[in-house]
Each structure stands twice: as C-alpha cells, then as structure tokens.
Amino acid sequence: MKTLLIFGVSPKQGTAYQVLQAARKCHPQWRCVVLVRHAELAQQLTKQGVECVIGDATDPVKVNQLCQLAGPDAIIVSTLSGITGNYTAQRIIIDCAEQMGLKQMLLVTSLGCGDTWSTLSTRAKQAFGLAVREKSLAEIWLQTSTLNHLILRPGGLIDGPSTGHGQCYYQQEVHGFIHRDELAELIIAMLNKQQWDNRAYSVIDPSLKVAN
C-alpha cells in the first residue's frame, strides 16, 4: 500500500486537491496524508479518510510532524504555488524529507522553470517571472538533494474534464495548456509506474485549444 504525502491542498480545489481525489478514486487502498491551512478543509478531508495536519509548509516543525506521520516509505507530491515563499517552503519540505529518511518526491512547477526559461515571452516573464524563478530555485534544491525525484512543468492550468491526451515532453520546447484533472491523472499514472528517473518534463495537452 502506497502512502502519499501531499503538499498544496487547498479549498480552491487546485492541482493538489485533484491529485488527492484521483488517488482516492483510482486507488482507495492508498493512504493519503496532507498538510492544510484550514481547519474546515481538514475536517472535510478527515471524514473522507484522509490524514490531515493543520499548518503551513514554511513551518519546519509542522513539516517534520507530517513526514514523521507519513513514514519513510511515503511518496511526496508537492504542487505548492504562489510567488513569495515557494522556494522557502519547498526547501523545508526537501530538507525535512531527507532528515526523516524519505526517498521519493514528485514536484510540480511550471513551464518556464529551469532550462525552459528562455522559452517564455517577455510578456510572460514580466507577468509571472518571479514565481517561475522561485520554482526554479526549488527544482535545483530537489535536483541536488538525495531524493529520487520527478519534476513536472505543466503549461497553463485550466479547469475542465480530462481528455486523455496529456503528454510529457523531455528536453523539447512546447507551449500550451492542460486541465488540472488531466495533470492529476498523469501524476497518479507516473506514481504507478515508479518512474523515478530524476528528470524534468514539460507537460501539456496538445489537443487543447484555448481561445485568446
């Protein structure tokens, strides 16, 4: 039985929330442990059989508590967003994971991170370049850690049902969008495959066309 340790679950039902729901739907026997900020959400998820700790990922005490609760065989899935504090939180998660003996982490960042920075337009860099740079720092911290890892860099995240056409691209310039549901399903599929190749993949749905 797998244990997922998920960071980034929020009431807004973003990527981490979708990952949690996809895991529960496809693999109800999996154990899910999450860190949430809101007591109301924690109560809701606890009723669904999810183990919750209330706190913030920038708090090393809470993150250590969560890693200890999940155990050394847990797989970390972190989809934390935000401009400020992203790198700090991800660094705390990675450091605590190493200290507690966890070995595997899947990190969700975004297109434009790392070696894909040059593919962003000037307008995109001005709009969300700071967030991308924070996430890039988190990628480097993970890549230079002792954890086996996967990094997924999705294109624009939008709401909508999965299409089954989401694709991962390695060292290939791509642009596009992907539904959060689709990304969540891809993440669960990768966890099933145990594909810990320490690579960063760009992720889009090439069938998805969004009007300007």
Side-chain angles (χ1 to χ4, degrees):
M1 179 180 70
K2 285 186 173 67
T3 296
L4 299 189
L5 174 49
I6 305 175
F7 293 90
V9 178
S10 73
K12 296 181 180 179
Q13 300 189 6
T15 301
Y17 185 90
Q18 299 301 337
V19 169
L20 175 61
Q21 297 306 316
R24 295 181 62 254
K25 177 182 177 181
C26 299
H27 302 283
Q29 75 279 14
W30 286 10
R31 179 182 173 223
C32 295
V33 182
V34 304
L35 180 69
V36 296
R37 292 181 178 178
H38 306 281
E40 185 176 347
L41 179 60
Q43 291 175 355
Q44 172 192 333
L45 295 177
T46 299
K47 291 178 181 178
Q48 299 175 12
V50 179
E51 298 175 49
C52 300
V53 171
I54 300 173
D56 192 279
T58 58
D59 183 349
V61 174
K62 288 293 184 180
V63 176
N64 264 315
Q65 179 185 346
L66 203 67
C67 289
Q68 189 169 14
L69 175 63
D73 294 327
I75 299 170
I76 298 172
V77 178
S78 180
T79 72
L80 293 174
S81 58
I83 296 177
T84 58
N86 184 286
Y87 168 58
T88 299
Q90 302 286 21
R91 178 171 176 171
I92 288 171
I93 292 168
I94 294 163
D95 289 350
C96 289
E98 288 184 301
Q99 293 166 10
M100 294 293 175
L102 280 75
K103 301 175 179 64
Q104 299 169 328
M105 179 170 177
L106 188 149
L107 174 64
V108 178
T109 58
S110 65
L111 282 182
C113 287
D115 57 4
T116 64
W117 172 259
S118 61
T119 68
L120 288 182
S121 66
T122 300
R123 181 178 178 182
K125 289 176 181 176
Q126 291 173 344
F128 48 85
L130 183 56
V132 171
R133 292 173 71 189
E134 282 261 342
K135 292 176 182 179
S136 295
L137 290 172
E139 286 188 357
I140 293 172
W141 200 257
L142 178 59
Q143 290 166 334
T144 55
S145 74
T146 60
L147 301 178
N148 295 320
H149 61 269
L150 277 171
I151 296 172
L152 299 186
R153 298 167 173 164
L157 290 169
I158 55 178
D159 294 326
S162 60
T163 67
H165 297 298
Q167 298 289 331
C168 295
Y169 300 84
Y170 179 62
Q171 293 185 337
Q172 181 177 344
E173 181 176 345
V174 294
H175 301 273
F177 301 85
I178 188 166
H179 289 151
R180 290 179 178 85
D181 284 0
E182 184 83 18
L183 177 59
E185 291 180 3
L186 281 173
I187 289 171
I188 297 302
M190 286 185 148
L191 297 182
N192 271 328
K193 293 177 183 178
Q194 290 290 307
Q195 185 181 332
W196 302 106
D197 56 15
N198 299 334
R199 290 180 174 181
Y201 293 90
S202 298
V203 188
I204 63 166
D205 181 345
S207 73
L208 201 59
K209 305 299 179 183
V210 177
N212 294 326

